[in-house]
Amino acid sequence: MCPVCSRFRNVVFDIVPGPERGSFTVKARFLGVEMEEFLLQYQDLLQLQYEGVAVMKMFDKAKINVNLLIFLLNKKFFKK
């Protein structure tokens, strides 16, 4: 296993609705301790997808697949 993968094994990302419509708060927890928080705008994700960006950096450490994140947000928060 690569050294970077082993560092992120115990990291949990919590995604909750943000203060504004179309925003989400992403919290990173490591072994139960909250480490960082990031405000994510859904419109920014759609813009990245439109521009063909496949991967975005979150917290300057984790790489997140843009299409997969949009899919998961749609499934969890926008499902009717």
Side-chain angles (χ1 to χ4, degrees):
M1 182 178 290
C2 68
V4 173
C5 298
S6 62
R7 283 192 313 197
F8 290 112
R9 178 183 300 157
N10 296 318
V11 176
V12 175
F13 294 100
D14 292 326
I15 302 174
V16 296
E20 301 170 2
R21 183 178 215 138
S23 68
F24 301 92
T25 302
V26 181
K27 297 177 184 177
R29 290 187 296 129
F30 180 71
L31 297 173
V33 177
E34 189 171 319
M35 302 301 285
E36 296 187 47
E37 192 172 310
F38 176 74
L39 186 64
L40 178 67
Q41 297 291 332
Y42 191 73
Q43 188 64 36
D44 294 342
L45 282 177
L46 294 177
Q47 183 66 35
L48 289 173
Q49 185 185 44
Y50 176 77
E51 293 171 357
V53 176
V55 176
M56 66 178 274
K57 275 192 149 184
M58 195 174 288
F59 305 114
D60 293 326
K61 297 174 185 104
K63 292 181 181 178
I64 308 293
N65 183 304
V66 173
N67 290 329
L68 183 58
L69 183 56
I70 290 172
F71 171 78
L72 293 173
L73 290 173
N74 284 335
K75 186 174 181 180
K76 181 168 181 161
F77 296 105
F78 298 116
K79 184 170 65 170
K80 299 250 178 183

